[in-house]
Tab-separated table of all heavy atoms in Angstrom:
chain	number	residue	atom	x	y	z
A	264	PRO	N	94.596	144.196	93.580
A	264	PRO	CA	94.829	143.125	94.548
A	264	PRO	C	95.149	141.783	93.889
A	264	PRO	O	96.021	141.051	94.363
A	264	PRO	CB	93.511	143.064	95.323
A	264	PRO	CG	92.912	144.416	95.184
A	264	PRO	CD	93.304	144.886	93.823
A	265	TYR	N	94.437	141.499	92.775
A	265	TYR	CA	94.705	140.225	92.105
A	265	TYR	C	96.095	140.219	91.473
A	265	TYR	O	96.834	139.224	91.546
A	265	TYR	CB	93.634	139.954	91.048
A	265	TYR	CG	92.234	139.909	91.618
A	265	TYR	CD1	91.387	141.013	91.541
A	265	TYR	CD2	91.778	138.769	92.255
A	265	TYR	CE1	90.110	140.968	92.081
A	265	TYR	CE2	90.489	138.714	92.787
A	265	TYR	CZ	89.672	139.830	92.701
A	265	TYR	OH	88.413	139.774	93.234
A	266	VAL	N	96.475	141.345	90.833
A	266	VAL	CA	97.811	141.430	90.226
A	266	VAL	C	98.886	141.352	91.299
A	266	VAL	O	99.921	140.683	91.130
A	266	VAL	CB	97.935	142.738	89.418
A	266	VAL	CG1	99.368	142.939	88.927
A	266	VAL	CG2	96.977	142.730	88.239
A	267	LEU	N	98.633	142.005	92.467
A	267	LEU	CA	99.614	141.960	93.548
A	267	LEU	C	99.769	140.538	94.083
A	267	LEU	O	100.895	140.061	94.296
A	267	LEU	CB	99.170	142.902	94.677
A	267	LEU	CG	100.073	142.922	95.925
A	267	LEU	CD1	101.492	143.367	95.551
A	267	LEU	CD2	99.485	143.825	96.999
A	268	GLY	N	98.656	139.885	94.277
A	268	GLY	CA	98.737	138.518	94.782
A	268	GLY	C	99.410	137.580	93.800
A	268	GLY	O	100.277	136.773	94.173
A	269	THR	N	99.041	137.696	92.538
A	269	THR	CA	99.655	136.828	91.525
A	269	THR	C	101.141	137.126	91.396
A	269	THR	O	101.978	136.211	91.288
A	269	THR	CB	98.957	137.017	90.179
A	269	THR	OG1	97.543	136.796	90.354
A	269	THR	CG2	99.501	136.053	89.144
A	270	GLY	N	101.510	138.395	91.414
A	270	GLY	CA	102.923	138.756	91.301
A	270	GLY	C	103.746	138.235	92.467
A	270	GLY	O	104.875	137.752	92.292
A	271	LEU	N	103.171	138.334	93.688
A	271	LEU	CA	103.902	137.826	94.840
A	271	LEU	C	104.097	136.311	94.753
A	271	LEU	O	105.185	135.796	95.057
A	271	LEU	CB	103.142	138.169	96.133
A	271	LEU	CG	103.165	139.656	96.553
A	271	LEU	CD1	102.277	139.886	97.762
A	271	LEU	CD2	104.597	140.105	96.849
A	272	ILE	N	103.050	135.614	94.311
A	272	ILE	CA	103.177	134.158	94.196
A	272	ILE	C	104.243	133.792	93.157
A	272	ILE	O	105.104	132.925	93.400
A	272	ILE	CB	101.812	133.543	93.828
A	272	ILE	CG1	100.837	133.701	95.022
A	272	ILE	CG2	101.964	132.063	93.484
A	272	ILE	CD1	99.421	133.285	94.695
A	273	LEU	N	104.193	134.465	92.005
A	273	LEU	CA	105.198	134.178	90.974
A	273	LEU	C	106.596	134.561	91.423
A	273	LEU	O	107.579	133.879	91.107
A	273	LEU	CB	104.834	134.925	89.684
A	273	LEU	CG	103.532	134.466	88.997
A	273	LEU	CD1	103.221	135.348	87.792
A	273	LEU	CD2	103.644	133.002	88.583
A	274	TYR	N	106.695	135.650	92.202
A	274	TYR	CA	108.013	136.080	92.692
A	274	TYR	C	108.584	135.031	93.645
A	274	TYR	O	109.756	134.654	93.556
A	274	TYR	CB	107.874	137.425	93.381
A	274	TYR	CG	109.157	137.896	94.031
A	274	TYR	CD1	110.215	138.392	93.266
A	274	TYR	CD2	109.309	137.836	95.419
A	274	TYR	CE1	111.394	138.809	93.874
A	274	TYR	CE2	110.478	138.250	96.020
A	274	TYR	CZ	111.512	138.736	95.244
A	274	TYR	OH	112.672	139.137	95.846
A	275	PHE	N	107.740	134.557	94.586
A	275	PHE	CA	108.229	133.543	95.526
A	275	PHE	C	108.612	132.252	94.824
A	275	PHE	O	109.591	131.594	95.197
A	275	PHE	CB	107.150	133.248	96.585
A	275	PHE	CG	106.991	134.371	97.583
A	275	PHE	CD1	105.737	134.678	98.126
A	275	PHE	CD2	108.075	135.133	97.990
A	275	PHE	CE1	105.601	135.697	99.035
A	275	PHE	CE2	107.932	136.153	98.907
A	275	PHE	CZ	106.694	136.445	99.424
A	276	LEU	N	107.840	131.896	93.774
A	276	LEU	CA	108.146	130.658	93.067
A	276	LEU	C	109.379	130.803	92.177
A	276	LEU	O	110.217	129.888	92.107
A	276	LEU	CB	106.940	130.226	92.237
A	276	LEU	CG	105.693	129.787	93.026
A	276	LEU	CD1	104.542	129.485	92.075
A	276	LEU	CD2	106.004	128.572	93.885
A	277	SER	N	109.522	131.962	91.485
A	277	SER	CA	110.660	132.137	90.571
A	277	SER	C	111.975	132.265	91.325
A	277	SER	O	113.015	131.748	90.876
A	277	SER	CB	110.426	133.365	89.684
A	277	SER	OG	110.397	134.543	90.478
A	278	LYS	N	111.932	132.926	92.461
A	278	LYS	CA	113.152	133.086	93.266
A	278	LYS	C	113.379	131.901	94.193
A	278	LYS	O	114.334	131.913	94.974
A	278	LYS	CB	113.070	134.370	94.090
A	278	LYS	CG	113.019	135.640	93.247
A	278	LYS	CD	114.276	135.799	92.403
A	278	LYS	CE	114.255	137.103	91.609
A	278	LYS	NZ	115.481	137.282	90.811
A	279	GLU	N	112.498	130.933	94.111
A	279	GLU	CA	112.579	129.750	94.951
A	279	GLU	C	112.598	130.090	96.443
A	279	GLU	O	113.205	129.416	97.263
A	279	GLU	CB	113.806	128.905	94.604
A	279	GLU	CG	113.743	128.299	93.226
A	279	GLU	CD	114.910	127.388	92.926
A	279	GLU	OE1	115.801	127.305	93.804
A	279	GLU	OE2	114.918	126.770	91.853
A	280	ILE	N	111.921	131.195	96.718
A	280	ILE	CA	111.715	131.499	98.135
A	280	ILE	C	110.779	130.468	98.733
A	280	ILE	O	110.934	130.034	99.879
A	280	ILE	CB	111.168	132.924	98.299
A	280	ILE	CG1	112.202	133.938	97.775
A	280	ILE	CG2	110.806	133.228	99.750
A	280	ILE	CD1	111.711	135.356	97.760
A	281	TYR	N	109.776	130.096	97.956
A	281	TYR	CA	108.873	129.014	98.367
A	281	TYR	C	109.024	127.916	97.321
A	281	TYR	O	108.792	128.145	96.130
A	281	TYR	CB	107.426	129.493	98.442
A	281	TYR	CG	106.482	128.403	98.900
A	281	TYR	CD1	106.349	128.095	100.239
A	281	TYR	CD2	105.751	127.664	97.966
A	281	TYR	CE1	105.508	127.086	100.653
A	281	TYR	CE2	104.913	126.652	98.370
A	281	TYR	CZ	104.783	126.362	99.721
A	281	TYR	OH	103.957	125.355	100.129
A	282	VAL	N	109.408	126.748	97.750
A	282	VAL	CA	109.619	125.615	96.859
A	282	VAL	C	108.374	124.724	96.936
A	282	VAL	O	107.905	124.383	98.025
A	282	VAL	CB	110.877	124.819	97.255
A	282	VAL	CG1	111.069	123.634	96.313
A	282	VAL	CG2	112.099	125.728	97.224
A	283	VAL	N	107.861	124.378	95.728
A	283	VAL	CA	106.683	123.523	95.679
A	283	VAL	C	107.089	122.102	96.032
A	283	VAL	O	107.983	121.520	95.405
A	283	VAL	CB	106.032	123.565	94.284
A	283	VAL	CG1	104.818	122.627	94.235
A	283	VAL	CG2	105.613	124.989	93.956
A	284	THR	N	106.426	121.553	97.046
A	284	THR	CA	106.696	120.199	97.529
A	284	THR	C	105.376	119.440	97.637
A	284	THR	O	104.295	120.034	97.452
A	284	THR	CB	107.385	120.239	98.903
A	284	THR	OG1	106.529	120.927	99.816
A	284	THR	CG2	108.725	120.977	98.821
A	285	PRO	N	105.429	118.151	97.913
A	285	PRO	CA	104.157	117.431	98.128
A	285	PRO	C	103.310	118.018	99.236
A	285	PRO	O	102.073	117.934	99.218
A	285	PRO	CB	104.630	116.016	98.470
A	285	PRO	CG	105.948	115.880	97.777
A	285	PRO	CD	106.590	117.226	97.851
A	286	GLU	N	103.953	118.637	100.225
A	286	GLU	CA	103.174	119.276	101.294
A	286	GLU	C	102.350	120.440	100.755
A	286	GLU	O	101.274	120.768	101.276
A	286	GLU	CB	104.097	119.768	102.408
A	286	GLU	CG	104.658	118.672	103.290
A	286	GLU	CD	105.817	117.922	102.623
A	286	GLU	OE1	106.220	118.345	101.520
A	286	GLU	OE2	106.296	116.936	103.191
A	287	THR	N	102.865	121.094	99.688
A	287	THR	CA	102.117	122.195	99.097
A	287	THR	C	100.801	121.697	98.514
A	287	THR	O	99.738	122.317	98.694
A	287	THR	CB	102.961	122.857	98.003
A	287	THR	OG1	104.201	123.299	98.556
A	287	THR	CG2	102.224	124.062	97.439
A	288	ILE	N	100.885	120.552	97.766
A	288	ILE	CA	99.666	119.973	97.206
A	288	ILE	C	98.696	119.595	98.330
A	288	ILE	O	97.484	119.834	98.246
A	288	ILE	CB	100.004	118.749	96.346
A	288	ILE	CG1	101.049	119.112	95.279
A	288	ILE	CG2	98.744	118.195	95.698
A	288	ILE	CD1	100.622	120.211	94.341
A	289	SER	N	99.232	119.026	99.405
A	289	SER	CA	98.370	118.657	100.539
A	289	SER	C	97.736	119.884	101.186
A	289	SER	O	96.540	119.879	101.536
A	289	SER	CB	99.188	117.888	101.582
A	289	SER	OG	99.739	116.711	101.015
A	290	ALA	N	98.537	120.961	101.296
A	290	ALA	CA	98.001	122.190	101.898
A	290	ALA	C	96.910	122.787	101.031
A	290	ALA	O	95.863	123.220	101.532
A	290	ALA	CB	99.134	123.189	102.112
A	291	VAL	N	97.137	122.829	99.684
A	291	VAL	CA	96.126	123.386	98.788
A	291	VAL	C	94.853	122.542	98.845
A	291	VAL	O	93.734	123.065	98.875
A	291	VAL	CB	96.683	123.463	97.350
A	291	VAL	CG1	95.578	123.854	96.374
A	291	VAL	CG2	97.824	124.472	97.275
A	292	SER	N	95.031	121.209	98.861
A	292	SER	CA	93.849	120.335	98.937
A	292	SER	C	93.102	120.532	100.254
A	292	SER	O	91.863	120.586	100.284
A	292	SER	CB	94.291	118.876	98.793
A	292	SER	OG	94.968	118.678	97.573
A	293	THR	N	93.860	120.645	101.330
A	293	THR	CA	93.213	120.828	102.642
A	293	THR	C	92.479	122.154	102.699
A	293	THR	O	91.338	122.228	103.188
A	293	THR	CB	94.268	120.764	103.759
A	293	THR	OG1	94.965	119.509	103.678
A	293	THR	CG2	93.619	120.900	105.124
A	294	ILE	N	93.118	123.219	102.216
A	294	ILE	CA	92.468	124.530	102.226
A	294	ILE	C	91.218	124.512	101.363
A	294	ILE	O	90.168	125.050	101.717
A	294	ILE	CB	93.458	125.608	101.770
A	294	ILE	CG1	94.580	125.772	102.799
A	294	ILE	CG2	92.748	126.936	101.562
A	294	ILE	CD1	95.702	126.689	102.356
A	295	GLY	N	91.313	123.874	100.174
A	295	GLY	CA	90.141	123.780	99.309
A	295	GLY	C	89.014	122.998	99.956
A	295	GLY	O	87.836	123.372	99.865
A	296	LEU	N	89.375	121.917	100.649
A	296	LEU	CA	88.362	121.141	101.339
A	296	LEU	C	87.713	121.941	102.465
A	296	LEU	O	86.491	121.893	102.659
A	296	LEU	CB	88.990	119.861	101.895
A	296	LEU	CG	88.049	118.913	102.659
A	296	LEU	CD1	86.936	118.423	101.741
A	296	LEU	CD2	88.829	117.735	103.233
A	297	LEU	N	88.535	122.691	103.191
A	297	LEU	CA	87.980	123.523	104.265
A	297	LEU	C	87.041	124.586	103.721
A	297	LEU	O	85.963	124.835	104.272
A	297	LEU	CB	89.116	124.177	105.066
A	297	LEU	CG	89.969	123.252	105.941
A	297	LEU	CD1	91.108	124.028	106.590
A	297	LEU	CD2	89.114	122.596	107.021
A	298	VAL	N	87.443	125.206	102.606
A	298	VAL	CA	86.589	126.222	101.995
A	298	VAL	C	85.276	125.608	101.538
A	298	VAL	O	84.181	126.172	101.722
A	298	VAL	CB	87.325	126.902	100.827
A	298	VAL	CG1	86.372	127.806	100.039
A	298	VAL	CG2	88.504	127.708	101.337
């Protein structure tokens, strides 16, 4: 599961399917705060 999750994240980032933006940092911070 960890390898699958990491691979999917790297795949989305390398293919620029998901582009890291300031909203990404805000989303990660918000999710971390919620957790």
Side-chain angles (χ1 to χ4, degrees):
Y265 301 99
V266 173
L267 177 60
T269 305
L271 288 175
I272 292 173
L273 294 176
Y274 175 75
F275 287 146
L276 293 176
S277 65
K278 296 298 183 179
E279 294 184 356
I280 297 174
Y281 182 81
V282 180
V283 178
T284 59
E286 286 78 5
T287 303
I288 306 301
S289 300
V291 172
S292 302
T293 303
I294 293 173
L296 180 61
L297 290 176
V298 171

